[in-house]
Amino acid sequence: MNAYIESVISNVRAKHTSEPEFVQTVEEVLSSLSPVIDAHPEYEKADLLNRIVEPERMFTFRVVWMDDNGAYHTNTGYRCQFNGAIGPYKGGLRFQKNVYPGIIKFLGFEQIFKNALTGLPIGGGKGGSDFDPAGKSAAEVMRFCQSFMTALYRYIGPDIDVPAGDMGVGGREIGYLYGQYRRLKGVWENGVLTGKGLSYGGSLIRPEATGYGAVYYLQEVLKHEGDTIEGKRLAISGYGNVGWGIMKKAAQLGAKVTYFAGPDGYIHDPDGVTGEKLDFILKMRAEDPMHCKPYADKYGVEFVPGAKCWGVKDVDIYMPAATQNDVKMESAVKIAQSGVKYYIEVANMPTTNDALNYLRQQKHMIVAPSKAVNAGGVGVSALEMAQNSERLVWSAEEVDEQLHRMMENIHRVSAEAAEEYGLGYDLVAGANIAGFKKVATAMMEQGVF
Ligand code: 2IT
């Protein structure tokens, strides 16, 4: 590896010993960049890499809220404005018990390169809170969101920083957050948040965009291999918004999700999740997000408790779409041994670095990285911002068409970047290189700061 990259990675390791997820993503991205740093000595001269791993700004804030019994609770809110070189900071808010600076920073760092890959003018950011939405009433969630936005609203805006949802933050939470922003600022600036409801400036297709985009990207990979999506069987983890979008788009295109995993185990439905089963999943998730077993009870299919579906042989494609570090070395070995060719990451950093490198070394496999595959979500968020600033609403067909073209483009620029540096069809390195080069160019042109 390039010596400058090694020195930056060791700086990050030394400085962030208590933030392993952040160290992990820095190692993953930077280890792809050797040929670029070799070819561009000006980056080292400007010490660009030590700058790019340092957030432009990151802050915490106190979020106090009252529960339905009148008791007070205090949580920590976070916003990391990681890199604004190519546009306003953009990235989701995650509300989850395990949120701490290492999670926010890893997601923010990934977001920089993902957002660059969309081809749209959005910088990288992320935020959230250690608030645990599990078991909270709607009124409690509303009070939490109002308190969260009261602390945050001065530091965001349509041209400053545009949050959206992530785990624990969906349309309902965005609505409460937007209502509070509007009340405090007294302006109609709905471009301050994305993932909004359709009644106040949300974009058609945004809820489905990450899953749909992932399937469009998969189609490009299959096309590259002289293959098509028809008849393909998919094993996924997660059946949240993203997993659900994958199920629906796969079904539309003649493929099917035959395995999906939840927190309590995995489901095997050889007929695929199609038709009214898609509606059942929505209902099941709304009633109890921790259990997918009711699906097996309802449709009389196999449920394997406490296990993940990594390693099943009767599928064509694996798509981890649940959360970070879902696939560790042990699962990666099973995946490689299954003989399945395609490993398409969807969730942010779903694979540990050792497992990802192991899978990339498998000659029979093609591995695609989440920062490219899931970029359609934030890409459609950028289209939502465009609609808000135009005061227009685009049709579902228009947005879907643009999403499709965006995903074709992301796959193409990733493949071309890898090719340019003699790496062959390496989609992981290609995505890192293409995303990095865009941001690096903008940073260089804007001078040292
Ligand atoms: O991980 C992600 O890209 C998101 N959670 C979506 C971010 C966005 O601004 O739509």
Side-chain angles (χ1 to χ4, degrees):
M1 201 192 300
N2 174 287
Y4 174 50
I5 293 180
E6 271 180 23
S7 83
V8 176
I9 289 178
S10 72
N11 291 345
V12 170
R13 278 196 196 123
K15 192 168 166 180
H16 299 276
T17 46
S18 58
E19 296 174 345
E21 295 86 356
F22 179 54
V23 174
Q24 182 183 337
T25 181
V26 168
E27 286 175 348
E28 195 278 311
V29 173
L30 265 52
S31 65
S32 292
L33 301 180
S34 282
V36 185
I37 299 301
D38 289 343
H40 292 270
E42 70 274 20
Y43 292 159
E44 179 174 356
K45 224 166 157 204
D47 198 21
L48 192 81
L49 293 184
N50 276 309
R51 273 195 274 154
I52 212 168
V53 297
E54 184 69 29
E56 289 181 11
R57 192 174 301 99
M58 177 159 172
F59 47 91
T60 69
F61 43 96
R62 183 167 68 202
V63 187
V64 187
W65 56 281
M66 192 199 276
D67 71 21
D68 291 343
N69 299 316
Y72 291 104
H73 300 270
T74 303
N75 286 101
T76 308
Y78 298 91
R79 190 69 185 166
C80 175
Q81 299 177 334
F82 216 126
N83 193 304
I86 66 168
Y89 310 107
K90 181 88 198 83
L93 299 170
R94 179 175 291 192
F95 291 172
Q96 205 174 44
K97 208 161 69 179
N98 65 2
V99 162
Y100 81 106
I103 297 269
I104 299 297
K105 256 183 241 173
F106 118 64
L107 290 164
F109 194 68
E110 282 287 287
Q111 202 83 42
I112 300 170
F113 307 101
K114 177 199 307 199
N115 292 6
L117 283 168
T118 65
L120 296 166
I122 40 177
K126 204 82 192 191
S129 175
D130 57 358
F131 174 73
D132 181 8
K136 302 292 188 294
S137 71
E140 289 170 335
V141 169
M142 181 179 77
R143 289 194 292 273
F144 176 81
C145 289
Q146 290 175 338
S147 185
F148 185 94
M149 185 53 85
T150 302
L152 184 62
Y153 84 101
R154 289 168 209 282
Y155 310 106
I156 62 175
D159 296 316
I160 302 170
D161 182 357
V162 183
D166 192 89
M167 292 157 74
V169 178
R172 179 182 68 172
E173 288 74 18
I174 292 293
Y176 297 148
L177 290 164
Y178 180 65
Q180 186 72 353
Y181 181 87
R182 188 169 71 79
R183 177 156 71 146
L184 291 166
K185 281 209 93 170
V187 292
W188 183 261
E189 280 181 353
N190 62 356
V192 68
L193 291 168
T194 62
K196 297 182 294 293
L198 296 176
S199 61
Y200 61 100
S203 177
L204 289 159
I205 307 293
R206 177 63 190 90
E208 301 90 340
T210 309
Y212 281 17
V215 176
Y216 291 144
Y217 184 101
L218 167 65
Q219 274 189 296
E220 296 306 301
V221 173
L222 292 166
K223 209 183 290 171
H224 180 272
E225 296 303 294
D227 206 341
T228 64
I229 196 157
E230 266 143 60
K232 291 287 181 295
R233 298 156 302 170
L234 279 54
I236 73 175
S237 62
Y239 54 100
N241 249 355
V242 178
W244 188 81
I246 293 172
M247 291 167 173
K248 191 164 167 191
K249 185 53 78 176
Q252 277 173 16
L253 297 174
K256 56 191 181 184
V257 171
T258 53
Y259 286 88
F260 69 92
D264 55 335
Y266 73 81
I267 298 280
H268 178 207
D269 182 352
D271 295 334
V273 187
T274 55
E276 63 126 10
K277 293 174 185 169
L278 286 160
D279 299 324
F280 180 79
I281 290 204
L282 289 182
K283 211 173 94 216
M284 176 174 79
R285 205 174 70 200
E287 280 166 17
D288 171 8
M290 296 310 284
H291 296 92
C292 62
K293 184 174 178 291
Y295 182 100
D297 298 339
K298 165 107 179 158
Y299 295 108
V301 298
E302 186 187 10
F303 171 72
V304 181
K308 301 182 178 197
C309 54
W310 310 130
V312 296
K313 293 190 170 61
D314 51 347
V315 295
D316 306 289
I317 295 143
Y318 283 114
M319 296 178 92
T323 191
Q324 67 270 4
N325 293 331
D326 182 19
V327 177
K328 300 186 173 61
M329 198 58 187
E330 188 195 344
S331 300
V333 170
K334 288 185 193 156
I335 287 171
Q337 285 170 353
S338 73
V340 172
K341 179 172 175 182
Y342 300 101
Y343 180 76
I344 311 291
E345 289 190 331
V346 187
N348 292 312
M349 203 168 75
T351 322
T352 61
N353 283 353
D354 57 345
L356 184 65
N357 289 331
Y358 172 80
L359 291 170
R360 289 171 70 191
Q361 282 157 16
Q362 303 301 311
K363 294 258 175 328
H364 69 282
M365 291 187 72
I366 292 191
V367 175
S370 55
K371 69 171 70 62
V373 177
N374 74 26
V378 74
V380 171
S381 276
L383 301 181
E384 183 172 332
M385 291 161 69
Q387 293 169 75
N388 295 156
S389 68
E390 284 187 326
R391 300 273 184 260
L392 287 174
V393 178
W394 303 348
S395 69
E397 293 70 29
E398 167 82 32
V399 177
D400 198 20
E401 168 65 29
Q402 288 216 35
L403 170 63
H404 196 158
R405 268 189 279 137
M406 193 187 306
M407 299 314 298
E408 287 172 356
N409 205 46
I410 291 170
H411 172 268
R412 185 176 48 76
V413 301
S414 302
E416 283 173 1
E419 200 60 55
E420 185 189 339
Y421 289 95
L423 302 170
Y425 188 54
D426 183 342
L427 295 170
V428 175
N432 286 329
I433 292 171
F436 171 76
K437 281 185 80 172
K438 176 165 181 187
V439 177
T441 305
M443 288 174 74
M444 293 296 284
E445 290 179 5
Q446 290 173 38
V448 176
F449 69 95

